[in-house]
Amino acid sequence: MDVKDPLPSWNAGAAKTAILEFVESVTRLEASFVPRAERIATFDADGTLWCEKPFPVEADFILRRLAEMAEADSKLRDGQPWKAAYEHDKEWLGKVITEHYAGDDTKAQTLLGGIAAAFGGIGVEDFEAQSDSFLRSTQHPTLGRGYIETAYAPMVELLGYLEANGFSNHIVSGSDAGFMRPITEELFGIPPERVIGSASALGYASDDTGGSVTRKAAVGFLDDGPQKPIHIWSGVGRRPLCAGGNSNGDIPMLDFTRHADKPCLRLLVLHDDAEREFAYTSGAEEALERAGTRGWTVVSMKNDFATVFGASSAAD
Amino acid sequence: MDVKDPLPSWNAGAAKTAILEFVESVTRLEASFVPRAERIATFDADGTLWCEKPFPVEADFILRRLAEMAEADSKLRDGQPWKAAYEHDKEWLGKVITEHYAGDDTKAQTLLGGIAAAFGGIGVEDFEAQSDSFLRSTQHPTLGRGYIETAYAPMVELLGYLEANGFSNHIVSGSDAGFMRPITEELFGIPPERVIGSASALGYASDDTGGSVTRKAAVGFLDDGPQKPIHIWSGVGRRPLCAGGNSNGDIPMLDFTRHADKPCLRLLVLHDDAEREFAYTSGAEEALERAGTRGWTVVSMKNDFATVFGASSAAD
């Protein structure tokens, strides 16, 4: 290519080459050209577009709310998930995630039930205002930067590169769509209508001033595993041409990103950079194995990312 | 205005004036300007963007499938909805719709159960291929034109006018999203990801060639009444600035289209043109009453539409 490097935050290597060749093939080569309308890209959020350790950003938001509730009402402290939140029991919380990735959602359902109760009865616009305020004011516990500064700069650059090449980028996350929507446009260039995520059950109440959509105290669905391709279809109505994930919960979405007659790009972010971020493969073992047999592109944060995060205001 | 009339298919009158003034106010007046990203417009489909009489287009598609099933299996003929489909019992089918609008969904649930069973186990891509083929090959029973030629030309023109003014148009229909998606871009300029509709429950099955999302033999949800604002929020994440409907099932969506600090446009299509289309208010009584008290704009097909349909290939 004789043009300026469109991905300066990526080191030269197999991953960068795979991205550039894929985009070249669907946008410029006659035999593999794909019309713009079909250039759908779907990305997991936590651990793929931004940091998910020591726990996903939304977990911090929820745990603070649960702890507040337990602070105000001592009876709540006897049952999960309030007990863990109140006691800052990271072990129980860690198990929610480990067991979820291992296929056991018992604790995840308990946590989801707590979340549903914690925000039950709140209007969706109020919920987003709370999330917006939390995300803009809270520091990551160890990285020395705000949560909204934990987006991976090379992934943000990739999203921009895809968009500049006619792709329509979507977030498909296990986190609540309403939690992320206030900041996805600013952080990732992805507007709210292209954010698919988990959801509580919703209700609508009419009134004289426009009515309101309200979160019910009941779980809607957890957008993970097979729910990802299902909600991509419901929300987008097309099979992705490009997808990115980092864990076992992303396997069905990455599998679904396949066309008999078109090139496709499946990216799996590997967390192998303990110095600049975190190093872990827990919850991603099966995905990593599958990457090898299915021709997915593994993105090593250590080797492929020239930089991990963007500039931080906290560094001032 | 000294520019060319952007809505030549609309006769001069209160409805056309309301549309032009609304678009002018949110795009050009400083005090009431609304950024492009917030210019969300949501339209019901059946009876709002295209003809829904003598029955909604999807009903014809479904009834043919149910009749085929009853033809092949005589045992099915004893139960609804197969009995009605097999016997061409328009009275039972008419009651489904009348009772639905009157708030009784018993028959609608029976019909939905039949639909779920009729298409249960079919891949979503196959379902859309079937719908696409049906829509392009089937004539409307009385209008002397194909179903895809029953779109209302002034509404298509309105969608184009809104889009040209930075609006993002969405369909929010009681019909199945997958049924309409194959033709919405071509007919209404609305791509599949902006079509919200009813849905069957979906499943995902993995395989070595991309896996498939499949319709289960179970009802997902009926996107009507309060489900419309709920699914607008889930899918779009914003409150509409403009909405159009024609029946009681659109009331919550039209109510929801209201901002304390911004202009908004709520359109209610009135079917009062027996000569060029159909004349009926059944199922729209409450909506019409509400239009008067809430400042919605009633669109009279007889008086406001200079033409109803576009050119028809059947006229050749």
Side-chain angles (χ1 to χ4, degrees):
Chain A
M1 294 179 57
D2 54 4
V3 295
K4 194 165 162 271
D5 182 1
L7 298 173
S9 305
W10 291 70
N11 292 324
K16 183 170 182 168
T17 301
I19 294 167
L20 294 172
E21 288 184 353
F22 164 73
V23 170
E24 172 85 8
S25 72
V26 301
T27 59
R28 280 177 280 273
L29 301 185
E30 201 181 333
S32 49
F33 183 84
V34 177
R36 276 176 177 254
E38 294 170 34
R39 294 183 204 158
I40 302 294
T42 58
F43 287 87
D44 169 59
D46 301 324
T48 299
L49 297 182
W50 68 353
C51 184
E52 65 172 352
K53 290 290 174 188
F55 31 69
V57 184
E58 190 186 10
D60 191 4
F61 175 65
I62 290 160
L63 292 173
R64 286 172 196 234
R65 170 79 189 127
L66 293 172
E68 275 172 25
M69 292 170 79
E71 193 69 52
D73 179 359
S74 61
K75 290 191 300 293
L76 285 173
R77 298 171 201 165
D78 297 333
Q80 295 294 14
W82 290 272
K83 183 172 155 61
Y86 184 73
E87 296 170 358
H88 301 282
D89 178 359
K90 285 178 186 157
E91 201 181 330
W92 187 86
L93 297 163
K95 277 186 189 164
V96 173
I97 294 165
T98 336
E99 292 179 13
H100 165 71
Y101 283 135
D104 175 5
D105 268 349
T106 317
K107 288 197 177 62
Q109 289 299 331
T110 302
L111 181 59
L112 284 172
I115 296 165
F119 297 102
I122 294 183
V124 290
E125 284 148 324
D126 285 349
F127 178 81
E128 294 201 3
Q130 285 183 30
S131 148
D132 187 46
S133 158
F134 167 83
L135 285 164
R136 291 176 194 285
S137 64
T138 314
Q139 291 288 110
H140 183 278
T142 64
L143 291 171
R145 51 176 63 232
Y147 273 132
I148 57 169
E149 298 168 330
T150 67
Y152 305 138
M155 296 304 285
V156 171
E157 192 177 85
L158 171 61
L159 292 170
Y161 175 57
L162 290 171
E163 192 179 342
N165 280 281
F167 279 79
S168 171
N169 298 322
H170 299 253
I171 284 175
V172 182
S173 170
S175 283
D176 192 292
F179 175 72
M180 293 176 292
R181 279 174 167 170
I183 50 96
T184 53
E185 173 87 58
E186 186 178 325
L187 264 67
F188 305 114
I190 296 179
E193 63 267 28
R194 290 200 251 119
V195 177
I196 296 169
S198 295
S200 68
L202 299 176
Y204 175 74
S206 231
D207 63 31
D208 283 349
T209 59
S212 52
V213 173
T214 304
R215 296 171 68 96
K216 291 187 187 175
V219 180
F221 58 86
L222 179 63
D223 186 37
D224 200 29
Q227 292 297 313
K228 289 201 173 190
I230 287 173
H231 286 99
I232 289 170
W233 192 267
S234 304
V236 184
R238 300 190 202 261
R239 208 179 262 268
L241 200 66
C242 168
N246 77 303
S247 77
N248 296 343
D250 298 316
I251 290 174
M253 174 172 75
L254 292 163
D255 270 346
F256 189 54
T257 304
R258 187 181 188 285
H259 297 257
D261 56 349
K262 299 182 185 83
C264 52
L265 178 69
R266 284 81 49 99
L267 300 173
L268 190 71
V269 175
L270 172 65
H271 293 268
D272 57 357
D273 193 334
E275 250 172 66
R276 297 186 299 176
E277 201 234 11
F278 296 91
Y280 59 99
T281 54
S282 168
E285 300 88 344
E286 203 192 321
L288 284 162
E289 197 187 306
R290 210 166 179 97
T293 59
R294 295 282 169 104
W296 302 349
T297 299
V298 174
V299 174
S300 158
M301 291 183 70
K302 184 172 179 169
N303 302 320
D304 293 316
F305 284 5
T307 179
V308 174
F309 301 113
S312 164
S313 60
D316 293 348
Chain B
M1 295 178 60
D2 55 4
V3 294
K4 194 163 162 273
D5 180 3
L7 298 173
S9 305
W10 291 70
N11 291 326
K16 183 170 182 168
T17 301
I19 294 167
L20 295 172
E21 287 183 354
F22 164 73
V23 170
E24 172 84 9
S25 73
V26 300
T27 58
R28 280 177 280 272
L29 302 185
E30 200 181 334
S32 48
F33 183 84
V34 176
R36 276 176 178 254
E38 294 170 33
R39 294 183 204 158
I40 301 294
T42 59
F43 287 86
D44 169 59
D46 301 324
T48 299
L49 297 182
W50 67 353
C51 185
E52 65 172 353
K53 289 291 176 187
F55 31 69
V57 184
E58 191 187 9
D60 191 5
F61 174 66
I62 289 159
L63 292 173
R64 286 171 196 235
R65 170 80 189 125
L66 293 173
E68 274 172 26
M69 292 170 79
E71 193 70 52
D73 179 358
S74 60
K75 288 192 301 293
L76 284 173
R77 298 172 201 165
D78 296 332
Q80 296 292 14
W82 290 272
K83 183 172 154 61
Y86 184 73
E87 295 171 359
H88 301 283
D89 179 359
K90 284 178 187 158
E91 201 181 331
W92 187 86
L93 297 163
K95 277 186 189 162
V96 174
I97 294 165
T98 337
E99 292 178 12
H100 165 70
Y101 282 135
D104 175 6
D105 268 349
T106 318
K107 287 198 177 62
Q109 289 297 333
T110 303
L111 181 59
L112 284 172
I115 296 165
F119 297 101
I122 294 183
V124 290
E125 284 147 324
D126 286 348
F127 179 81
E128 293 201 3
Q130 286 183 30
S131 148
D132 188 44
S133 158
F134 167 82
L135 285 165
R136 291 177 194 284
S137 64
T138 313
Q139 290 288 110
H140 183 279
T142 64
L143 290 172
R145 51 176 63 231
Y147 273 132
I148 57 168
E149 297 168 331
T150 67
Y152 304 139
M155 296 304 286
V156 171
E157 192 177 84
L158 171 61
L159 292 170
Y161 175 57
L162 289 171
E163 193 178 341
N165 280 281
F167 279 79
S168 170
N169 297 322
H170 299 254
I171 284 175
V172 182
S173 169
S175 283
D176 192 291
F179 175 72
M180 293 175 292
R181 279 174 168 170
I183 49 97
T184 53
E185 173 87 56
E186 188 178 323
L187 265 66
F188 305 114
I190 297 179
E193 62 269 26
R194 290 200 252 121
V195 177
I196 296 169
S198 294
S200 69
L202 300 176
Y204 176 74
S206 231
D207 63 32
D208 283 350
T209 59
S212 52
V213 173
T214 304
R215 296 170 68 95
K216 290 187 187 174
V219 180
F221 58 85
L222 179 62
D223 185 36
D224 201 28
Q227 291 297 313
K228 290 200 172 190
I230 287 173
H231 286 98
I232 289 170
W233 191 267
S234 304
V236 184
R238 299 190 202 261
R239 206 179 264 267
L241 201 65
C242 168
N246 77 304
S247 77
N248 296 344
D250 297 316
I251 292 174
M253 174 172 75
L254 292 163
D255 270 347
F256 191 55
T257 304
R258 188 182 188 287
H259 297 257
D261 56 349
K262 299 182 186 82
C264 52
L265 178 69
R266 284 80 50 99
L267 300 174
L268 190 71
V269 175
L270 172 66
H271 293 267
D272 57 356
D273 193 334
E275 248 171 69
R276 297 187 297 177
E277 203 234 9
F278 296 91
Y280 59 99
T281 54
S282 167
E285 300 88 344
E286 202 191 323
L288 284 162
E289 196 187 307
R290 212 166 178 96
T293 59
R294 296 282 169 103
W296 300 350
T297 299
V298 174
V299 174
S300 158
M301 291 184 70
K302 184 172 177 168
N303 301 320
D304 293 316
F305 283 5
T307 179
V308 174
F309 301 113
S312 164
S313 61
D316 292 347

